Amino acid sequence: MQTILGANGQIGEELARELKRNFTSGIRIVSRKATKINDTDEVFSADLSIREKAIEAVKGSETAYFTLGLPISSDLWEQQFPLILQNVIDACKINGTRLVFFDNTYMYPQDERILNEETVFEPVGRKGRVRKQMAEMVLKEMQSGELEAVICRAPEFYGPGKTQSITNTFVFNNIKADKRLKVPVRADKKRSLIWTPDASRATALIGNTPEAFGQTWHLPVDDSHLTYKEFIALAADIYSRELKYTVVPETFFTIAALFNTKVKELQELLPRYKHDNIFDDSKFRKRFPAFQVTTYRQGIAAIKNEHNIKA
């Protein structure tokens, strides 16, 4: 049995499909309102902030994947994320279950440094500090030998379906709505974006590679690291239409944050857009050379096709 905790977001859904496709039909889907992804899935609705529910959720599981997400709220993250993760860690230790922790890059420095698995944690803002705390909780357990665990870390998403990200919101949602595109802060800095199905496929692969445990892995990205200017030019070629965009300066976000809570929550993420953001996935590529990374051209074409189908 392999269990996905927080299974009804984009990463969890793609993960369930990949596990069924290539690894196992014994999949348990866990979330507050759990629903099947595959017809053979077992479902378990649970609030993982309740320790007993977390223990029950992973009972009988060989591997548990932590893909749980929360709304972008610093207050909520501080109150819920460490509590839920501690419950999951305890549950895995009690049940003898391996933990695959799906992580982001919020704890990393937001400057021009190339990011690899050895990059020091220098978070900017409250959400970054929460993600640092969570990563360190898992690292501590791995180092103590009390929990068999692995960290799978992904940069900013772009992708199909339920994918939520700045790039999907500012670029692809506006393409679909025939509106002018927006680019945060700078359009001329290199970016590292991960195709969400690739993130899930790579996580499933790591979770089913026993020797990968006890480590942190950067998940694979298109290594061209296009700037937003180049990314939008590629999208224009694929969509066969002119795509105009506006670069939204940091001062706009500062002013808008005074009146808009969502914008306020985004502010701590903005420094990364002032610099080249290079996410080094060479460790993964070396260990899993057969893994086929989705190129930006392939990913953008898939989003276009999805938009056309839904139109």
Side-chain angles (χ1 to χ4, degrees), residues 16-50:
R17 295 187 187 103
E18 179 64 13
L19 290 175
K20 174 66 183 290
R21 200 159 38 226
N22 286 312
F23 298 103
T24 181
S25 294
I27 301 168
R28 180 181 297 147
I29 302 295
V30 179
S31 65
R32 284 179 180 264
K33 296 181 180 179
T35 57
K36 287 186 177 184
I37 310 301
N38 308 296
D39 58 3
T40 54
D41 291 342
E42 175 186 323
V43 296
F44 184 83
S45 296
D47 177 355
L48 297 176
S49 67
I50 301 171

Short mmCIF file of all heavy atoms in Angstrom, two decimals, residues 16-50:
data_model
loop_
_atom_site.label_atom_id
_atom_site.label_comp_id
_atom_site.label_asym_id
_atom_site.label_seq_id
_atom_site.Cartn_x
_atom_site.Cartn_y
_atom_site.Cartn_z
N ALA A 16 -0.93 9.97 -8.06
CA ALA A 16 -1.78 8.77 -8.01
C ALA A 16 -1.83 8.07 -9.37
O ALA A 16 -1.77 6.84 -9.45
CB ALA A 16 -3.18 9.15 -7.54
N ARG A 17 -1.94 8.86 -10.42
CA ARG A 17 -1.98 8.27 -11.77
C ARG A 17 -0.66 7.58 -12.11
O ARG A 17 -0.65 6.49 -12.69
CB ARG A 17 -2.31 9.35 -12.81
CG ARG A 17 -3.70 9.95 -12.66
CD ARG A 17 -4.03 10.87 -13.81
NE ARG A 17 -5.29 11.57 -13.57
CZ ARG A 17 -5.39 12.83 -13.18
NH1 ARG A 17 -4.29 13.55 -12.99
NH2 ARG A 17 -6.56 13.39 -12.98
N GLU A 18 0.45 8.22 -11.76
CA GLU A 18 1.76 7.65 -12.07
C GLU A 18 2.02 6.38 -11.26
O GLU A 18 2.57 5.41 -11.79
CB GLU A 18 2.85 8.69 -11.80
CG GLU A 18 4.27 8.21 -12.05
CD GLU A 18 4.57 7.86 -13.50
OE1 GLU A 18 3.76 8.22 -14.38
OE2 GLU A 18 5.62 7.23 -13.75
N LEU A 19 1.66 6.38 -9.98
CA LEU A 19 1.84 5.17 -9.17
C LEU A 19 1.05 4.01 -9.76
O LEU A 19 1.55 2.89 -9.86
CB LEU A 19 1.41 5.44 -7.73
CG LEU A 19 2.31 6.37 -6.90
CD1 LEU A 19 1.68 6.64 -5.54
CD2 LEU A 19 3.71 5.79 -6.74
N LYS A 20 -0.19 4.28 -10.16
CA LYS A 20 -1.02 3.23 -10.74
C LYS A 20 -0.45 2.75 -12.08
O LYS A 20 -0.42 1.55 -12.39
CB LYS A 20 -2.45 3.75 -10.94
CG LYS A 20 -3.40 2.79 -11.67
CD LYS A 20 -3.68 1.54 -10.86
CE LYS A 20 -4.56 0.56 -11.63
NZ LYS A 20 -5.94 1.03 -11.79
N ARG A 21 0.04 3.70 -12.87
CA ARG A 21 0.56 3.40 -14.20
C ARG A 21 1.80 2.51 -14.14
O ARG A 21 1.95 1.58 -14.95
CB ARG A 21 0.87 4.72 -14.90
CG ARG A 21 0.95 4.68 -16.40
CD ARG A 21 0.76 6.06 -17.02
NE ARG A 21 1.39 7.12 -16.26
CZ ARG A 21 0.80 8.28 -15.95
NH1 ARG A 21 -0.46 8.50 -16.31
NH2 ARG A 21 1.45 9.20 -15.29
N ASN A 22 2.69 2.78 -13.20
CA ASN A 22 4.01 2.15 -13.24
C ASN A 22 4.45 1.39 -12.00
O ASN A 22 5.48 0.71 -12.05
CB ASN A 22 5.07 3.21 -13.56
CG ASN A 22 5.04 3.64 -15.00
OD1 ASN A 22 5.00 2.81 -15.91
ND2 ASN A 22 5.03 4.94 -15.25
N PHE A 23 3.71 1.50 -10.88
CA PHE A 23 4.25 0.91 -9.65
C PHE A 23 3.27 0.03 -8.87
O PHE A 23 3.64 -1.06 -8.46
CB PHE A 23 4.80 2.02 -8.75
CG PHE A 23 5.93 2.78 -9.36
CD1 PHE A 23 5.74 4.04 -9.89
CD2 PHE A 23 7.21 2.22 -9.43
CE1 PHE A 23 6.78 4.74 -10.49
CE2 PHE A 23 8.26 2.91 -10.01
CZ PHE A 23 8.06 4.18 -10.55
N THR A 24 2.05 0.47 -8.62
CA THR A 24 1.16 -0.30 -7.76
C THR A 24 -0.30 0.11 -7.95
O THR A 24 -0.60 1.26 -8.30
CB THR A 24 1.53 -0.11 -6.28
OG1 THR A 24 0.66 -0.90 -5.46
CG2 THR A 24 1.40 1.34 -5.84
N SER A 25 -1.19 -0.83 -7.72
CA SER A 25 -2.62 -0.53 -7.68
C SER A 25 -3.11 -0.33 -6.25
O SER A 25 -4.26 0.05 -6.03
CB SER A 25 -3.43 -1.65 -8.34
OG SER A 25 -3.14 -1.73 -9.72
N GLY A 26 -2.21 -0.58 -5.30
CA GLY A 26 -2.56 -0.41 -3.89
C GLY A 26 -2.29 1.01 -3.45
O GLY A 26 -1.23 1.31 -2.90
N ILE A 27 -3.24 1.89 -3.69
CA ILE A 27 -3.07 3.32 -3.42
C ILE A 27 -4.20 3.81 -2.51
O ILE A 27 -5.38 3.55 -2.78
CB ILE A 27 -3.07 4.14 -4.73
CG1 ILE A 27 -1.94 3.69 -5.65
CG2 ILE A 27 -2.96 5.64 -4.44
CD1 ILE A 27 -2.05 4.23 -7.06
N ARG A 28 -3.81 4.51 -1.46
CA ARG A 28 -4.80 5.13 -0.57
C ARG A 28 -4.75 6.64 -0.77
O ARG A 28 -3.69 7.25 -0.68
CB ARG A 28 -4.53 4.77 0.89
CG ARG A 28 -5.55 5.40 1.87
CD ARG A 28 -5.20 5.03 3.31
NE ARG A 28 -5.30 3.59 3.52
CZ ARG A 28 -4.53 2.91 4.36
NH1 ARG A 28 -3.59 3.54 5.06
NH2 ARG A 28 -4.68 1.61 4.52
N ILE A 29 -5.91 7.23 -0.98
CA ILE A 29 -6.04 8.67 -1.20
C ILE A 29 -6.53 9.30 0.11
O ILE A 29 -7.59 8.95 0.61
CB ILE A 29 -7.06 8.98 -2.32
CG1 ILE A 29 -6.63 8.30 -3.63
CG2 ILE A 29 -7.26 10.47 -2.50
CD1 ILE A 29 -5.36 8.82 -4.21
N VAL A 30 -5.75 10.24 0.65
CA VAL A 30 -6.10 10.87 1.93
C VAL A 30 -6.19 12.38 1.75
O VAL A 30 -5.26 13.02 1.25
CB VAL A 30 -5.06 10.55 3.02
CG1 VAL A 30 -5.43 11.24 4.33
CG2 VAL A 30 -4.94 9.04 3.24
N SER A 31 -7.31 12.94 2.14
CA SER A 31 -7.48 14.39 2.23
C SER A 31 -8.72 14.65 3.07
O SER A 31 -9.39 13.70 3.50
CB SER A 31 -7.61 15.03 0.84
OG SER A 31 -8.78 14.60 0.20
N ARG A 32 -9.02 15.91 3.29
CA ARG A 32 -10.20 16.21 4.12
C ARG A 32 -11.47 15.66 3.48
O ARG A 32 -12.36 15.18 4.16
CB ARG A 32 -10.32 17.72 4.33
CG ARG A 32 -9.33 18.28 5.36
CD ARG A 32 -9.48 19.78 5.50
NE ARG A 32 -8.55 20.31 6.48
CZ ARG A 32 -8.85 20.55 7.75
NH1 ARG A 32 -10.06 20.26 8.20
NH2 ARG A 32 -7.96 21.04 8.58
N LYS A 33 -11.55 15.78 2.15
CA LYS A 33 -12.69 15.23 1.42
C LYS A 33 -12.13 14.37 0.29
O LYS A 33 -12.09 14.79 -0.87
CB LYS A 33 -13.59 16.34 0.88
CG LYS A 33 -14.25 17.17 1.98
CD LYS A 33 -15.14 18.26 1.40
CE LYS A 33 -15.81 19.08 2.51
NZ LYS A 33 -16.67 20.16 1.96
N ALA A 34 -11.68 13.19 0.64
CA ALA A 34 -10.96 12.34 -0.30
C ALA A 34 -11.89 11.79 -1.38
O ALA A 34 -13.01 11.38 -1.11
CB ALA A 34 -10.30 11.19 0.45
N THR A 35 -11.40 11.82 -2.62
CA THR A 35 -12.10 11.23 -3.75
C THR A 35 -11.11 10.42 -4.58
O THR A 35 -9.92 10.74 -4.65
CB THR A 35 -12.76 12.30 -4.65
OG1 THR A 35 -11.75 13.22 -5.10
CG2 THR A 35 -13.82 13.07 -3.88
N LYS A 36 -11.60 9.37 -5.22
CA LYS A 36 -10.74 8.50 -6.02
C LYS A 36 -10.14 9.25 -7.21
O LYS A 36 -10.80 10.08 -7.83
CB LYS A 36 -11.53 7.31 -6.53
CG LYS A 36 -11.87 6.27 -5.47
CD LYS A 36 -12.53 5.04 -6.12
CE LYS A 36 -12.82 3.96 -5.07
NZ LYS A 36 -13.36 2.74 -5.70
N ILE A 37 -8.89 8.90 -7.52
CA ILE A 37 -8.26 9.35 -8.75
C ILE A 37 -8.30 8.21 -9.77
O ILE A 37 -8.69 8.39 -10.91
CB ILE A 37 -6.80 9.79 -8.52
CG1 ILE A 37 -6.70 10.77 -7.34
CG2 ILE A 37 -6.21 10.38 -9.79
CD1 ILE A 37 -7.51 12.02 -7.49
N ASN A 38 -7.90 7.02 -9.30
CA ASN A 38 -8.01 5.79 -10.09
C ASN A 38 -9.17 4.95 -9.56
O ASN A 38 -9.52 5.05 -8.37
CB ASN A 38 -6.71 4.97 -9.98
CG ASN A 38 -5.47 5.78 -10.28
OD1 ASN A 38 -5.29 6.26 -11.39
ND2 ASN A 38 -4.60 5.96 -9.28
N ASP A 39 -9.74 4.13 -10.39
CA ASP A 39 -10.92 3.36 -9.94
C ASP A 39 -10.59 2.35 -8.86
O ASP A 39 -11.48 1.89 -8.14
CB ASP A 39 -11.60 2.67 -11.13
CG ASP A 39 -10.67 1.73 -11.91
OD1 ASP A 39 -9.50 1.56 -11.50
OD2 ASP A 39 -11.12 1.17 -12.94
N THR A 40 -9.31 1.99 -8.72
CA THR A 40 -8.91 1.00 -7.71
C THR A 40 -8.47 1.65 -6.40
O THR A 40 -8.10 0.94 -5.45
CB THR A 40 -7.76 0.15 -8.25
OG1 THR A 40 -6.69 1.00 -8.68
CG2 THR A 40 -8.22 -0.72 -9.42
N ASP A 41 -8.49 2.96 -6.31
CA ASP A 41 -7.99 3.65 -5.11
C ASP A 41 -8.88 3.38 -3.89
O ASP A 41 -10.10 3.25 -4.01
CB ASP A 41 -7.96 5.17 -5.34
CG ASP A 41 -6.90 5.60 -6.35
OD1 ASP A 41 -5.99 4.80 -6.62
OD2 ASP A 41 -6.99 6.73 -6.86
N GLU A 42 -8.21 3.33 -2.76
CA GLU A 42 -8.90 3.35 -1.47
C GLU A 42 -8.93 4.80 -1.00
O GLU A 42 -7.94 5.52 -1.16
CB GLU A 42 -8.13 2.48 -0.47
CG GLU A 42 -8.67 2.51 0.95
CD GLU A 42 -7.77 1.73 1.90
OE1 GLU A 42 -7.22 0.69 1.49
OE2 GLU A 42 -7.60 2.18 3.05
N VAL A 43 -10.04 5.25 -0.44
CA VAL A 43 -10.13 6.64 -0.01
C VAL A 43 -10.29 6.70 1.51
O VAL A 43 -10.92 5.84 2.13
CB VAL A 43 -11.28 7.41 -0.69
CG1 VAL A 43 -11.04 7.50 -2.19
CG2 VAL A 43 -12.63 6.75 -0.41
N PHE A 44 -9.67 7.74 2.09
CA PHE A 44 -9.74 7.93 3.53
C PHE A 44 -9.79 9.44 3.80
O PHE A 44 -8.83 10.15 3.55
CB PHE A 44 -8.51 7.32 4.21
CG PHE A 44 -8.54 7.39 5.72
CD1 PHE A 44 -9.23 6.44 6.46
CD2 PHE A 44 -7.90 8.41 6.39
CE1 PHE A 44 -9.27 6.50 7.85
CE2 PHE A 44 -7.92 8.48 7.78
CZ PHE A 44 -8.61 7.52 8.52
N SER A 45 -10.93 9.92 4.26
CA SER A 45 -11.08 11.34 4.56
C SER A 45 -10.59 11.61 5.98
O SER A 45 -11.03 10.93 6.92
CB SER A 45 -12.55 11.78 4.41
OG SER A 45 -12.96 11.65 3.06
N ALA A 46 -9.69 12.57 6.11
CA ALA A 46 -9.10 12.81 7.43
C ALA A 46 -8.55 14.22 7.53
O ALA A 46 -8.05 14.78 6.56
CB ALA A 46 -7.99 11.81 7.71
N ASP A 47 -8.66 14.78 8.73
CA ASP A 47 -8.00 16.02 9.08
C ASP A 47 -6.68 15.65 9.74
O ASP A 47 -6.65 15.16 10.87
CB ASP A 47 -8.90 16.82 10.04
CG ASP A 47 -8.25 18.11 10.52
OD1 ASP A 47 -7.06 18.35 10.19
OD2 ASP A 47 -8.93 18.88 11.24
N LEU A 48 -5.58 15.85 9.03
CA LEU A 48 -4.28 15.39 9.51
C LEU A 48 -3.71 16.25 10.63
O LEU A 48 -2.66 15.92 11.18
CB LEU A 48 -3.29 15.31 8.35
CG LEU A 48 -3.67 14.29 7.25
CD1 LEU A 48 -2.67 14.36 6.10
CD2 LEU A 48 -3.73 12.88 7.82
N SER A 49 -4.40 17.32 10.98
CA SER A 49 -3.98 18.08 12.15
C SER A 49 -4.37 17.37 13.44
O SER A 49 -3.95 17.75 14.53
CB SER A 49 -4.58 19.49 12.13
OG SER A 49 -5.99 19.46 12.29
N ILE A 50 -5.16 16.30 13.30
CA ILE A 50 -5.52 15.44 14.43
C ILE A 50 -4.60 14.23 14.40
O ILE A 50 -4.62 13.44 13.45
CB ILE A 50 -7.00 15.01 14.34
CG1 ILE A 50 -7.91 16.24 14.33
CG2 ILE A 50 -7.36 14.07 15.48
CD1 ILE A 50 -9.37 15.93 14.01
#
